[in-house]
């Protein structure tokens, strides 16, 4: 069986044991004679799946009891509207940090609903670092502060989570949820599209503090109201059942591997391997400031479009897939989420070193 190392930013690699387990259970789930895809979302078998998925996520992330877990559709992009629709209702103002393309989209969407202030930005430097955010910058009357913990396109991440005091912190964690230990109690709301580090596309995971639910305006559509989904246990309408099942398998896999503490260690090791190779390289470099570097998405550039194109083409021939960088950054980007094995990063680093030699020889 041919499997490649897929460095795609999302949808991205899923753990092979998870795919195999899904394959094993595909046509006849637990002797039901049905696939999970064919199960009623109200059936006992599916109830067990969604209950266990939530239980495992709570265990992995140590989610406190006063937080709700919701399994929704609509992607992280739908949260760009859902967050203000539900939370921008007390004082009608919120503070946002602008750290990249996804932050910008969140800001643009929120601006439709209230008074949005950008309290810090790294746009002037093409988003190559995470700006300083401290409590003095935050409006104590803001309904919430919004950050993007990991910037998938630019390859930056917060080294420490800003302290927002009593103002609830809302985080788009789409591309680094479950990659390391975090203190959920620092956040009012966490959201993540599943297709980066959880499951296939189509599922969005929300972790929301109980007191933040129930404040949406009367005109808020039922489907966009967190309360609707909290009250129905994410079963108001048909949820993305297969995605929830896949998420459950991924959570089991994470637990077997030792949980988030262990994932953090492995992710740090993988990222360090690649960053060290880029430090040593005379051809490629990271455009990101050292203190702001992501462990999940690692862009690198050669400053020659021809070299980049040759690199991507030759890498693909070696089973290193989807390394082309986002058009706003250029060059390459290696997304190395939980499911990317160490061997994948080692293979990439060896390839970078070999490729570099040929470039240097040609330059002579
Ligand atoms: C991928 C991504 C999104 C968009 O997710 P969708 O589920 O496609 O809407 C938003 N924010 C971040 C940080 C992302 O990585």
């Amino acid at each position: 069986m041919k499997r490649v190392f897929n460095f795609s930013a999302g949808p991205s690699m899923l753990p092979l044991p998870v795919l195999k387990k899904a394959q094993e259970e595909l046509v006849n789930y637990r002797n039901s004679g049905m696939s999970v895809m064919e199960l009623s979302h109200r059936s006992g078998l599916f109830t067990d799946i969604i209950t266990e998925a939530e239980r495992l996520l709570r265990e992995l992330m140590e989610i406190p009891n006063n937080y709700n877990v919701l399994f929704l559709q609509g992607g992280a992009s739908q949260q760009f509207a859902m967050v203000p629709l539900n939370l921008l209702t007390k004082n009608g103002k919120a503070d946002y940090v602008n750290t990249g393309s996804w932050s910008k989209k969140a800001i643009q969407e929120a601006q439709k609903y209230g008074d949005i202030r950008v309290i810090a930005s790294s746009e002037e430097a093409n988003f190559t670092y995470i700006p300083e955010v401290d409590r003095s910058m935050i409006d104590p009357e803001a309904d919430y502060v919004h950050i993007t913990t990991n910037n998938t396109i630019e390859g930056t991440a917060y080294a420490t989570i800003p302290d927002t005091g009593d103002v609830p912190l809302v985080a788009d964690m789409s591309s680094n949820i479950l990659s390391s230990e975090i203190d959920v109690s620092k956040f009012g709301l966490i959201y993540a599209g599943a297709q980066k580090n959880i499951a296939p596309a189509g599922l969005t995971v929300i972790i929301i503090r109980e007191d933040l639910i129930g404040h949406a305006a009367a005109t808020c559509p039922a489907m966009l109201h967190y309360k609707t989904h909290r009250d129905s246990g994410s079963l108001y309408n048909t949820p993305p059942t297969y995605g929830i099942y896949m998420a459950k398998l991924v959570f089991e896999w994470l637990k077997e591997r030792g949980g988030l503490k262990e994932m953090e260690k492995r992710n740090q090791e993988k990222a360090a391997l690649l960053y060290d190779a880029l430090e040593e390289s005379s051809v490629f470099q990271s455009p990101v400031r050292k203190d702001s570097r992501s462990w999940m998405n690692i862009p690198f550039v050669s400053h020659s479009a021809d070299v980049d194109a040759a690199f991507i083409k030759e890498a693909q021939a070696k089973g290193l897939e989807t390394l082309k960088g986002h058009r706003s950054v250029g060059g390459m980007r290696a997304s190395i989420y939980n499911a990317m094995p160490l061997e994948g990063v080692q293979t990439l680093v060896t390839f970078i070193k070999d490729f570099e030699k040929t470039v240097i020889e040609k330059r002579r």
Side-chain angles (χ1 to χ4, degrees), residues 79-97:
Q79 294 308 306
F80 297 165
M82 259 177 104
V83 166
L85 274 167
N86 284 267
L87 306 187
L88 204 52
T89 49
K90 217 156 113 196
N91 297 318
K93 45 186 186 170
D95 289 348
Y96 276 66
V97 183

Side-chain angles (χ1 to χ4, degrees), residues 95-129:
D95 289 348
Y96 276 66
V97 183
N98 183 15
T99 51
S101 314
W102 292 118
S103 298
K104 267 175 95 165
K105 286 197 169 150
I107 291 164
Q108 278 163 6
E109 191 72 352
Q111 279 167 341
K112 297 176 185 169
Y113 304 102
D115 184 5
I116 302 303
R117 212 164 55 109
V118 176
I119 56 168
S121 169
S122 52
E123 188 162 18
E124 86 293 343
N126 206 21
F127 300 118
T128 49
Y129 70 98

Side-chain angles (χ1 to χ4, degrees), residues 74-78 80 102 148 150-152 172 174-175 193 195-196:
S77 302
Q78 183 165 284
F80 297 165
W102 292 118
T148 312
N150 184 83
N151 297 278
T152 325
D172 177 355
S174 294
S175 50
Q195 69 276 21
K196 316 281 165 63

Side-chain angles (χ1 to χ4, degrees), residues 180-327:
S180 64
E181 289 190 299
I182 58 146
D183 180 356
V184 173
S185 72
K186 284 187 177 162
F187 300 87
L189 193 162
I190 293 167
Y191 63 90
Q195 69 276 21
K196 316 281 165 63
N197 213 11
I198 305 179
L203 168 68
T204 316
V205 173
I206 317 290
I207 301 165
I208 179 170
R209 211 173 64 206
E210 181 66 30
D211 61 288
L212 297 175
I213 296 180
H215 308 294
T219 52
C220 179
M223 276 296 288
L224 300 183
H225 204 320
Y226 292 122
K227 187 175 183 298
T228 306
H229 301 288
R230 191 269 316 266
D231 290 350
S232 59
S234 303
L235 296 169
Y236 172 71
N237 69 330
T238 319
T241 52
Y242 201 73
I244 294 168
Y245 160 74
M246 289 296 287
K248 186 196 85 130
L249 296 185
V250 169
F251 299 158
E252 284 168 351
W253 176 81
L254 287 171
K255 199 182 152 180
E256 267 166 36
R257 303 203 105 200
L260 300 196
K261 202 186 189 103
E262 182 61 26
M263 291 321 293
E264 179 171 327
K265 221 178 84 197
R266 289 175 194 231
N267 287 326
Q268 188 173 19
E269 187 190 348
K270 285 186 291 177
L273 195 64
L274 184 46
Y275 282 122
D276 287 350
L278 295 174
E279 270 333 294
E280 286 167 18
S281 173
S282 56
V283 175
F284 301 109
Q285 66 196 91
S286 159
V288 177
R289 205 171 79 182
K290 267 189 182 160
D291 64 359
S292 304
R293 289 179 176 174
S294 164
W295 294 356
M296 297 282 100
N297 311 97
I298 304 184
F300 53 101
V301 292
S302 73
H303 303 297
S304 155
D306 291 342
V307 170
D308 290 351
F311 181 90
I312 291 159
K313 197 171 155 220
E314 287 177 36
Q316 189 176 26
K318 294 216 146 53
L320 301 166
E321 276 283 343
T322 328
L323 279 163
K324 192 170 164 46
H326 191 272
R327 60 191 179 281

Side-chain angles (χ1 to χ4, degrees), residues 113-178:
Y113 304 102
D115 184 5
I116 302 303
R117 212 164 55 109
V118 176
I119 56 168
S121 169
S122 52
E123 188 162 18
E124 86 293 343
N126 206 21
F127 300 118
T128 49
Y129 70 98
I130 297 288
E132 201 70 50
V133 180
D134 69 57
R135 246 164 113 161
S136 70
M137 297 156 78
I138 294 161
D139 178 355
E141 294 201 331
D143 288 335
Y144 62 90
V145 177
H146 182 282
I147 61 168
T148 312
T149 51
N150 184 83
N151 297 278
T152 325
I153 292 173
E154 295 79 8
T156 62
Y158 285 76
T160 49
I161 297 301
D163 173 12
T164 57
D166 290 335
V167 181
L169 179 61
V170 174
D172 177 355
M173 231 177 250
S174 294
S175 50
N176 70 343
I177 191 167
L178 297 169

